[in-house]
C-alpha cells in the first residue's frame, strides 16, 4: 500500500508550483507574476502607485473603460510617465487587455473595472501566465471570481495604505 | 567583382522580376534585370554576408514571391547567367550565346554554335583558342562581343534599374475559385503584405499608411464592387506580424456588418506612405529592438481600434491648474529627461473629467445619491487662473471623510459653490 502524504508534505509539493513574485512595499509576499491580483478598498490606486514607484524601470499598461486617473498625481509620486501607456478602452477593455498581454512587452498590466465576467477573466489569466506579467485588477468592490490568484483589500491609515490579504491561491 | 544570377523558371515572370529585384536591393545596391534573369553584384556584400547566407536569403525571397529559379555565381554577368542556366562549372559551347547577349534571350549564334560542335568544340573555354582575327568574318559582331566578354577585354555596362515609386502587390483569383469569406483571403493578403514590406524594407523604409482593396465580381446586383480600407499606423511598421492583425481586425469587423456581395476577383495591398527607418541589425545580447517593435505593433493595433485619442503616454506640462498639467502624446522622445516636480501639495490620483457640484449640509457633502461626512480638512491652497484667459480662482482642500476616503474639493471664490474635483483613491 502506498504511504499517504501528510498535509505538510502536500503543501510543500504544492509550493513547487508557487508563482514567482515581484517585491511590493507593504506586502511581504510581493505581487505574483503571471497571475491576477485583485485590489479593492480605499487607497487601492495609491497602493499600486507605490508598487510601480518601487519598480520604475518596468513598462506599464494602464487600462480603464473611462480614464479617471490623474497622470500629474503619478508624477508627484515618483512614477516615470514615459513607462506608462494609458488606454481608455471603453467597451473594448478585455480586448485591449488581451492585446497588451499577447504583445508580451508590458511586465505590469493595471485594469480598472467594476466587474469582468468569468470567461474573460479566465482568458486574461491564461495570457498573463503565458506572458509572465503582473496583472492588477482594481475594482471598487470585492469580487469573488476564482481565476484571481491574490485578493487584497486596502485601507488608509495615518501611516499610509495598508493591504490585507483576503484570498491567496497556492 | 562577383555576380549572382537568378534565372526564373516560370514563363510569366516579367511582372515578378522587377519586384523581386527591388526586394534584392537589401542584399546589394547594384542590381540589374534582364530577360527572365536577375543579376546582383555581391562583391562588396560579402563583407556582410557569406556566399551561403546570400544563397539562403535569395532562396527565401524566391519562395516569398512564389517563383522558382536557378542560381549561378560568376566573376562576370555572362558567366553567372550561363552557370545558372547550365548548372555546371565547366560551360558547354552553347553558353556562347549567353556571352554574346547576356541580358536578353536570342538565337543569333545558333548556327555557328552548331558548326563549332561539328568541328569538335564541346566546351566554351575551347572557343578562346580560335584566332581573334577570324571571328568577325565567321560569327559576326555577336561572336566578337562574346569573345571580348569571355576574355574580359570589354566591360559590360549594367542597365539602370529604378524601383517603382508606388509599392503595390496584388493577387488575382482563379476563375474557378469562389471566395466570399475573409478567412481564406487572409492567406493571400499575408503574402502580398510580406512582399510589399520586403520591397519597402529594401528602400530602408517602413510603412506608415497602407491600403487594402478587394475587387468583387461585377454582377449587376452588386452595389459596391470595390471594397477599400485605409490604415494609418501610430508607429511605422516593418513586419507582417505587426501589420496583419491590424488589417484583420478592421476588415473582419466591417465584413460582419457588410459581407461581400459577390465572389472576390482580386485582392490588392498598397503602401501609401513609408518613412525612413534606421537600419537595424539584430542584437543577440539585447532584446531592446525587438521589444520596441512589439510595443509599436501593439500600440498601432490599439490606436487602430480605439482611436489616437484613447491610447497615449502622458507628458507633464508646467501648469498649476490640474486640467492643464499634462498632455497626450505617443512620442516618448519628447519627454524631458529630468522632470522638475513643481512644489505643489499632493494631487489626487483620480480626477473627474468635469468638476461635480456638491451640496453642503452641515458637515456633509452631497452629490446626487452619495453623501459624505467630513471628518478633517487639510492641505488648503488657492489656485488662480491666468487673467488673459478666464479669470478663475479656486480654493482647493483635501477632505477626509468617514469610511477612509479622501476627496479633493474646491470652492469657487466668486460663486462660493463647492465642487468635487478628484479622489485620493
Amino acid at each position: 500500500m502506498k504511504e499517504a502524504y501528510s498535509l505538510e508534505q502536500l503543501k510543500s509539493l504544492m509550493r513547487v508550483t508557487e508563482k514567482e513574485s515581484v517585491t511590493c512595499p507593504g506586502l511581504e509576499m510581493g505581487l505574483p507574476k503571471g497571475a491576477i491580483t485583485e485590489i479593492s478598498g480605499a487607497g487601492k490606486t495609491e497602493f499600486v502607485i507605490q508598487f510601480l514607484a518601487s519598480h520604475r524601470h518596468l513598462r506599464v499598461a494602464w487600462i480603464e473603460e473611462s480614464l479617471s486617473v490623474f497622470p500629474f498625481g503619478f508624477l508627484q509620486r515618483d512614477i516615470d510617465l514615459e513607462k506608462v501607456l494609458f488606454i481608455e478602452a471603453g467597451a473594448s477593455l478585455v480586448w485591449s487587455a488581451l492585446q497588451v498581454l499577447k504583445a508580451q512587452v508590458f511586465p505590469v498590466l493595471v485594469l480598472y473595472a467594476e466587474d469582468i465576467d468569468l470567461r474573460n477573466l479566465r482568458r486574461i489569466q491564461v495570457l498573463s501566465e503565458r506572458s509572465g506579467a503582473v496583472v492588477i485588477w482594481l475594482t471598487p468592490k470585492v469580487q469573488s471570481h476564482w481565476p484571481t490568484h491574490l485578493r487584497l483589500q486596502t485601507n488608509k491609515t495615518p501611516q499610509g495604505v495598508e493591504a490585507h490579504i483576503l484570498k491567496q491561491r497556492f | 567583382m562577383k555576380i549572382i544570377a537568378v534565372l526564373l523558371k516560370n514563363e510569366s515572370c516579367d511582372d515578378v522580376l522587377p519586384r523581386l529585384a527591388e526586394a534584392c536591393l537589401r542584399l546589394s545596391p547594384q542590381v540589374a534585370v534582364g530577360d527572365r534573369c536577375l543579376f546582383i553584384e555581391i562583391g562588396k556584400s560579402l563583407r556582410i554576408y557569406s556566399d551561403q547566407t546570400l544563397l539562403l536569403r535569395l532562396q527565401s525571397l524566391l519562395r516569398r514571391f512564389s517563383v522558382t529559379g536557378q542560381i549561378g555565381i560568376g566573376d562576370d554577368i555572362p558567366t553567372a547567367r550561363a552557370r545558372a542556366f547550365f548548372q555546371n562549372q565547366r560551360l558547354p559551347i552553347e553558353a556562347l550565346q549567353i556571352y554574346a547577349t547576356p541580358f536578353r534571350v536570342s538565337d543569333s549564334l545558333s548556327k555557328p554554335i552548331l558548326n563549332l560542335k561539328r568541328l569538335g568544340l564541346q566546351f566554351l573555354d575551347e572557343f578562346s583558342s580560335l584566332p581573334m582575327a577570324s571571328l568577325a568574318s565567321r560569327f559576326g559582331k555577336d561572336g566578337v562581343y562574346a569573345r571580348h566578354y569571355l576574355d574580359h577585354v570589354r566591360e559590360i555596362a549594367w542597365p539602370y534599374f529604378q524601383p517603382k515609386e508606388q509599392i503595390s502587390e496584388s493577387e488575382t483569383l482563379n476563375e474557378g475559385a469562389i471566395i466570399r469569406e475573409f478567412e481564406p483571403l487572409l492567406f493571400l493578403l499575408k503574402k502580398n503584405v510580406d512582399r510589399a514590406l520586403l520591397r519597402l524594407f529594401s528602400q530602408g523604409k517602413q510603412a506608415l499608411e497602407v491600403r487594402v482593396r478587394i475587387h468583387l465580381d461585377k454582377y449587376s446586383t452588386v452595389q459596391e464592387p470595390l471594397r477599400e480600407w485605409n490604415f494609418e499606423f501610430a508607429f511605422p511598421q516593418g513586419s507582417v506580424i505587426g501589420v496583419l492583425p491590424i488589417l484583420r481586425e478592421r476588415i473582419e469587423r466591417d465584413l460582419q456588418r457588410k459581407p461581400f456581395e459577390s465572389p472576390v476577383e482580386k485582392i490588392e495591398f498598397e503602401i501609401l506612405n513609408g518613412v525612413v527607418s534606421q537600419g537595424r541589425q539584430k542584437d543577440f545580447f539585447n532584446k531592446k529592438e525587438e521589444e520596441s517593435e512589439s510595443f509599436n505593433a501593439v500600440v498601432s493595433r490599439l490606436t487602430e481600434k480605439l482611436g489616437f485619442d484613447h491610447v497615449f503616454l502622458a507628458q507633464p506640462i508646467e501648469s498649476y491648474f490640474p486640467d492643464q498639467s499634462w498632455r497626450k502624446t505617443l512620442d516618448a522622445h519628447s519627454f524631458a529627461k529630468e522632470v522638475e516636480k513643481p512644489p505643489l501639495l499632493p494631487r489626487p490620483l483620480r480626477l473627474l473629467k468635469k468638476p461635480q457640484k456638491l451640496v453642503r449640509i452641515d458637515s456633509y457633502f452631497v452629490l446626487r445619491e452619495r453623501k459624505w461626512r467630513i471628518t478633517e480638512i487639510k492641505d488648503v491652497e488657492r489656485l488662480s487662473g491666468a487673467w488673459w484667459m478666464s479669470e478663475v480662482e479656486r480654493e482647493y482642500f483635501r477632505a477626509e471623510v468617514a469610511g477612509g476616503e479622501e476627496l479633493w474639493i474646491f470652492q469657487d471664490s466668486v460663486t462660493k459653490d463647492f465642487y468635487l474635483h478628484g479622489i485620493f483613491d
Side-chain angles (χ1 to χ4, degrees):
Chain A
M1 198 178 138
K2 277 187 182 174
E3 195 186 332
Y5 285 108
S6 70
L7 189 63
E8 284 310 308
Q9 279 174 320
L10 281 171
K11 272 187 181 174
S12 69
L13 280 173
M14 284 160 79
R15 277 179 197 280
V16 174
T17 59
E18 200 171 304
K19 298 265 179 205
E20 264 186 77
S21 61
V22 185
T23 55
C24 175
L27 192 70
E28 203 183 322
M29 59 175 291
L31 295 181
K33 278 168 114 178
I36 303 172
T37 302
E38 178 199 308
I39 308 176
S40 55
K44 55 187 178 297
T45 311
E46 190 80 51
F47 182 78
V48 175
I49 291 299
Q50 282 174 19
F51 164 68
L52 297 180
S54 64
H55 299 282
R56 290 188 85 226
H57 62 285
L58 294 182
R59 201 175 247 167
V60 183
W62 192 292
I63 308 177
E64 299 192 0
E65 268 176 27
S66 172
L67 217 60
S68 63
V69 282
F70 183 36
F72 192 80
F74 283 38
L75 187 73
Q76 278 191 323
R77 288 156 182 84
D78 213 22
I79 299 289
D80 184 0
L81 285 177
E82 270 181 69
K83 297 277 182 195
V84 187
L85 182 74
F86 294 99
I87 302 163
E88 192 168 20
S92 310
L93 183 120
V94 174
W95 177 86
S96 306
L98 297 177
Q99 296 303 316
V100 162
L101 289 171
K102 273 184 204 166
Q104 303 198 353
V105 283
F106 295 92
V108 183
L109 165 64
V110 184
L111 288 165
Y112 183 84
E114 283 195 16
D115 195 10
I116 300 172
D117 70 70
L118 192 61
R119 202 174 119 259
N120 284 327
L121 204 61
R122 174 75 180 126
R123 287 163 76 191
I124 293 172
Q125 185 217 359
V126 169
L127 276 180
S128 72
E129 266 177 23
R130 206 172 295 167
S131 65
V134 175
V135 178
I136 301 168
W137 175 22
L138 296 176
T139 175
K141 287 179 197 161
V142 182
Q143 306 290 328
S144 57
H145 298 310
W146 64 264
T148 328
H149 188 90
L150 180 66
R151 187 168 297 137
L152 301 175
Q153 187 161 40
T154 53
N155 65 296
K156 286 190 169 180
T157 63
Q159 287 76 39
V161 184
E162 272 183 2
H164 304 284
I165 299 169
L166 298 180
K167 175 201 157 183
Q168 181 191 357
R169 254 170 52 181
F170 284 108
Chain B
M1 192 182 264
K2 203 162 191 182
I3 317 282
I4 285 188
V6 185
L7 193 66
L8 297 192
K9 282 181 181 170
N10 310 41
E11 286 300 318
S12 55
C13 59
D14 294 350
D15 178 39
V16 182
L17 209 54
R19 292 185 287 132
L20 182 65
E22 201 178 331
C24 286
L25 284 171
R26 66 189 295 190
L27 305 174
S28 163
Q30 195 161 354
V31 168
V33 173
D35 282 349
R36 289 178 55 200
C37 197
L38 166 72
F39 302 95
I40 311 158
E41 203 283 300
I42 55 159
K44 292 181 184 72
S45 313
L46 289 174
R47 291 169 193 271
I48 308 168
Y49 310 107
S50 68
D51 280 12
Q52 203 59 34
T53 320
L54 270 170
L55 288 176
L56 287 172
R57 281 175 183 260
L58 257 177
Q59 279 159 358
S60 156
L61 280 176
L62 289 174
R63 269 197 306 277
R64 287 157 89 172
F65 278 84
S66 308
V67 285
T68 48
Q70 292 177 177
I71 298 173
I73 303 179
D75 293 335
D76 52 50
I77 288 174
T79 311
R81 182 169 186 157
R83 284 190 180 149
F85 186 82
F86 294 104
Q87 293 292 299
N88 205 338
Q89 282 296 310
R90 195 174 183 199
L91 296 168
I93 194 69
E94 285 87 350
L96 195 63
Q97 180 66 65
I98 294 174
Y99 276 80
T101 53
F103 290 107
R104 58 189 170 83
V105 177
S106 165
D107 59 353
S108 60
L109 288 178
S110 59
K111 271 189 182 171
I113 288 170
L114 208 65
N115 291 334
L116 286 169
K117 281 180 89 173
R118 279 190 198 136
L119 287 169
L121 268 74
Q122 295 298 319
F123 295 99
L124 191 67
D125 44 18
E126 291 163 353
F127 182 72
S128 296
S129 60
L130 296 179
M132 188 72 176
S134 65
L135 294 180
S137 58
R138 282 169 155 185
F139 308 107
K141 74 171 171 44
D142 279 354
V144 178
Y145 277 139
R147 178 64 176 273
H148 282 172
Y149 295 147
L150 191 63
D151 294 347
H152 298 111
V153 175
R154 190 190 286 261
E155 283 279 310
I156 300 174
W158 283 66
Y160 181 62
F161 174 71
Q162 170 77 35
K164 279 185 183 173
E165 270 188 30
Q166 199 163 19
I167 294 180
S168 168
E169 285 287 332
S170 62
E171 192 102 20
T172 308
L173 271 76
N174 297 332
E175 277 190 17
I178 298 175
I179 297 179
R180 282 170 175 269
E181 287 82 36
F182 184 60
E183 199 66 30
L185 282 183
L186 207 61
F187 292 99
L188 296 177
L189 185 62
K190 187 182 174 186
K191 268 192 205 171
N192 288 319
V193 173
D194 184 35
R195 289 173 194 167
L197 291 178
L198 269 176
R199 289 169 62 191
L200 193 68
F201 177 75
S202 67
Q203 295 178 17
K205 289 181 178 178
Q206 289 188 323
L208 197 63
E209 217 179 325
V210 301
R211 173 162 61 198
V212 176
R213 279 172 159 181
I214 294 178
H215 301 256
L216 304 176
D217 276 342
K218 294 179 188 73
Y219 297 161
S220 58
T221 51
V222 177
Q223 287 180 337
E224 207 181 339
L226 175 67
R227 302 287 295 269
E228 191 176 299
W229 292 269
N230 283 10
F231 298 85
E232 198 182 331
F233 306 133
F235 291 105
Q237 298 295 316
S239 70
V240 190
I241 303 167
V243 173
L244 206 64
I246 301 173
L247 309 186
R248 183 184 187 161
E249 181 77 31
R250 172 122 68 97
I251 296 176
E252 271 185 347
R253 203 169 58 231
D254 279 6
L255 290 179
Q256 273 172 7
R257 264 184 260 140
K258 195 179 177 193
F260 292 134
E261 293 171 276
S262 62
V264 176
E265 191 182 79
K266 187 181 172 188
I267 184 161
E268 207 177 330
F269 176 77
E270 197 179 339
I271 290 168
L272 300 176
N273 189 8
V275 287
V276 177
S277 66
Q278 290 170 344
R280 284 175 298 182
Q281 287 279 321
K282 193 166 182 170
D283 189 341
F284 290 109
F285 306 103
N286 192 342
K287 285 191 170 178
K288 214 173 165 186
E289 288 297 335
E290 277 174 56
E291 273 181 21
S292 154
E293 207 166 299
S294 300
F295 176 79
N296 292 352
V298 73
V299 171
S300 297
R301 212 146 55 224
L302 291 164
T303 49
E304 166 57 30
K305 178 150 180 169
L306 307 172
F308 281 88
D309 213 32
H310 293 88
V311 182
F312 56 87
L313 300 170
Q315 185 182 18
I317 295 172
E318 265 186 57
S319 171
Y320 289 107
F321 256 79
D323 305 322
Q324 294 152 18
S325 60
W326 63 281
R327 71 177 183 93
K328 295 175 182 180
T329 179
L330 272 174
D331 181 14
H333 301 292
S334 63
F335 282 66
K337 278 293 146 219
E338 284 300 321
V339 182
E340 202 176 306
K341 285 168 217 152
L344 296 172
L345 290 169
R347 294 285 183 256
L349 288 170
R350 298 204 173 266
L351 198 73
L352 305 187
K353 280 184 178 155
K354 198 177 167 201
Q356 298 290 311
K357 196 173 174 181
L358 296 167
V359 178
R360 188 180 175 183
I361 305 165
D362 300 329
S363 60
Y364 287 90
F365 276 118
V366 180
L367 175 68
R368 291 187 284 274
E369 296 89 30
R370 288 207 67 177
K371 195 170 153 186
W372 294 280
R373 187 170 64 81
I374 307 297
T375 54
E376 196 188 337
I377 282 177
K378 57 185 177 184
D379 293 348
V380 182
E381 64 180 323
R382 177 165 290 204
L383 297 179
S384 52
W387 57 265
W388 60 87
M389 288 171 76
S390 58
E391 208 158 337
V392 182
E393 200 166 308
R394 294 169 175 179
E395 197 154 85
Y396 278 89
F397 56 89
R398 188 169 169 162
E400 265 185 37
V401 298
E405 270 187 294
E406 282 182 290
L407 311 176
W408 203 43
I409 296 172
F410 71 82
Q411 185 178 27
D412 192 301
S413 301
V414 181
T415 61
K416 302 292 177 196
D417 290 330
F418 289 96
Y419 292 86
L420 175 66
H421 201 180
I423 298 165
F424 290 85
D425 184 31

